[in-house]
Amino acid sequence: CHFLRLRLDGTGLLFYFYAVSLFYNPTGSQGQFPITQNVTVVEGGTANMTCRVDYNDNTSLQWSNPAQQTLFFGDKKALRDHRIELVRATSQELTIRINDVSLSDEGQYTCSLFTMPVKTTKAFLTVLVPSRPEITGFTKPAMEGDEITLTCTTSGSKPAANIRWFRNDKEVQGTTEVNATGKSFTVRSSLLFQVDKRDDGVAYTCSVEHVSLYKPYMTTEVLEVHYAPQLEITHSLIIPQEGQYFKLECVSIGNPIPEPVLWSKDGGELPDIERMIVEGRELTITTLNKTDNGTYRCEASNHMGTSFAEYILFVYGGY
C-alpha cells in the first residue's frame, strides 16, 4: 500500500527504500558486535589487540584497558603510555600494539562500537612470565658424611613453573612446593641427601620448564666434597729379581690432595738412601738385592684424616 502511494513521488520513493534498508539490514553496524580475539604474550614481548566489524557506517571503534581507561578512540590516542601505539585505524578495524608487556597489563580489554546502544566485546590479554632458577643451601666445601639440602627457587613465574633435578645426566626427585603471590608464583624444589666421596665433582642441575620457554632455564651447582685419603701402592715388576731397577708408586685419592707422601720400611726409615730414592709419590730402588726384602709403607694425610698402604717386597735370586 505504502509502496503504491509513494510510487508517483520519486523523491519519497527513494527515501522510503533508503530508510527501510538502514533499519533492517542485518549486516549494518546497529545489529552487530565487534569481533576480537584473546591474546597471549610473554612478558617483555609485544601484544597486538585487534577489533573488527564486518560493516560500519562511520561509527567509531574504541579500545579500553582493564581499568576502563580509553586507549584509543578511533585513531586518537587517549592514554599517555609510550608503550601503546596505533597499528591500524579504519572504519572496520582498530588495531593497537602494546610493547614491552608486563604482568600489570594482563586483564580484560574492551572494544566498543559506538552505535545506539553501544556494543562491546571483551578480549583477555594473558601475560606469561618465565623466571630463572637459583640454587641455594650449599656452602662449599661439604665434608664427607654431611647431610645437605639443595634448594632451587624460581620466583615470579606465571603460570607456575615446573622444576626438575638432575644428578649429572640422571633425573632425581625433589620435594616441591608452590606459593602464589598475587598473579605470579614462587616454586621451590629441594633435595636432601648425605654426601660421600662419590659426590665430589658431581653436577646437580635445576631445570625450569615453562609454557613460555622453547628450552628450559637451567642452573648447575658442582659439589665439592672433602674426604680422607685412600692409598694404594703399585709396583713396576711382577717378579722382582736381584740387580733389577724397581719402582713403587703411592697412588692416592682424597680431597684436598693428601700431601706429603712418607715412605718407610719395616716400621722404620729407609735403610739405604743412596739406592732408595724418593721423588714425590715414587720410591725407586736402583739395584735390588736380598736385603731389600720387607714391608714398605706409604702414608699421606689431609685435614680429613691419615691413611696408609703397604707392599711386601720379596726379591728373587737372579739367573
Side-chain angles (χ1 to χ4, degrees):
C1 258
H2 292 287
F3 171 75
L4 291 174
R5 280 202 306 270
L6 295 173
R7 183 168 57 86
L8 298 177
D9 186 346
T11 303
L13 182 63
L14 290 172
F15 176 78
Y16 175 81
F17 277 109
Y18 177 72
V20 170
S21 175
L22 270 181
F23 187 79
Y24 289 103
N25 186 349
T27 62
S29 59
Q30 295 287 336
Q32 68 178 333
F33 282 82
I35 302 168
T36 62
Q37 286 186 322
N38 294 333
V39 175
T40 299
V41 64
V42 178
E43 185 181 42
T46 298
N48 281 359
M49 311 290 293
T50 297
C51 177
R52 293 184 296 104
V53 290
D54 292 329
Y55 175 85
N56 196 352
D57 51 2
N58 294 320
T59 303
S60 295
L61 291 168
Q62 172 187 286
W63 270 115
S64 55
N65 65 15
Q68 292 304 307
Q69 297 170 307
T70 299
L71 303 178
F72 271 89
F73 185 82
D75 61 357
K76 302 297 189 293
K77 187 172 184 177
L79 185 67
R80 291 185 178 179
D81 188 333
H82 69 278
R83 301 176 305 124
I84 302 175
E85 59 188 17
L86 180 66
V87 176
R88 182 178 175 84
T90 68
S91 61
Q92 293 179 262
E93 179 185 333
L94 179 58
T95 298
I96 63 172
R97 177 177 296 133
I98 306 174
N99 298 301
D100 192 21
V101 173
S102 67
L103 187 55
S104 62
D105 294 316
E106 183 175 83
Q108 191 166 258
Y109 288 70
T110 304
C111 178
S112 302
L113 175 64
F114 278 83
T115 55
M116 189 62 72
V118 175
K119 303 291 196 309
T120 62
T121 302
K122 308 293 186 181
F124 201 92
L125 175 61
T126 299
V127 180
L128 305 178
V129 185
S131 179
R132 294 189 178 275
E134 179 185 12
I135 296 177
T136 58
F138 177 65
T139 302
K140 293 182 179 181
M143 306 300 157
E144 185 173 29
D146 284 354
E147 190 172 79
I148 68 171
T149 301
L150 296 180
T151 300
C152 180
T153 304
T154 175
S155 302
S157 62
K158 179 186 169 293
N162 180 51
I163 292 180
R164 299 170 67 190
W165 281 102
F166 294 88
R167 185 185 188 273
N168 290 334
D169 295 325
K170 183 179 179 181
E171 185 167 4
V172 291
Q173 296 301 314
T175 302
T176 301
E177 62 174 289
V178 180
N179 296 301
T181 305
K183 292 182 178 181
S184 63
F185 296 85
T186 297
V187 183
R188 291 184 181 86
S189 182
S190 297
L191 292 175
L192 175 64
F193 57 98
Q194 189 175 53
V195 296
D196 61 28
K197 58 180 175 291
R198 293 171 297 179
D199 290 306
D200 186 40
V202 168
Y204 280 86
T205 298
C206 170
S207 173
V208 171
E209 299 172 344
H210 193 264
V211 64
S212 65
L213 297 175
Y214 174 69
K215 293 194 302 184
Y217 285 150
M218 293 185 179
T219 186
T220 297
E221 184 76 46
V222 178
L223 300 193
E224 181 184 352
V225 180
H226 283 189
Y227 57 95
Q230 289 184 309
L231 307 182
E232 178 187 4
I233 296 177
T234 62
H235 47 90
S236 62
L237 297 174
I238 297 175
I239 302 176
Q241 296 179 355
E242 285 184 299
Q244 288 182 320
Y245 177 92
F246 186 64
K247 180 185 290 184
L248 296 175
E249 182 178 358
C250 186
V251 179
S252 63
I253 61 171
N255 192 13
I257 296 173
E259 296 284 1
V261 172
L262 303 177
W263 285 97
S264 62
K265 179 178 184 287
D266 296 330
E269 295 182 354
L270 298 175
D272 190 342
I273 59 174
E274 290 186 2
R275 285 189 311 112
M276 298 178 177
I277 301 170
V278 175
E279 293 181 333
R281 301 177 180 278
E282 296 180 350
L283 167 61
T284 301
I285 303 176
T286 57
T287 307
L288 286 174
N289 62 48
K290 290 286 188 178
T291 63
D292 297 326
N293 290 345
T295 300
Y296 291 79
R297 170 186 284 206
C298 71
E299 185 176 296
S301 303
N302 62 20
H303 72 88
M304 295 295 294
T306 299
S307 184
F308 67 87
E310 293 183 337
Y311 174 79
I312 298 175
L313 173 63
F314 182 82
V315 180
Y316 293 85
Y319 295 99

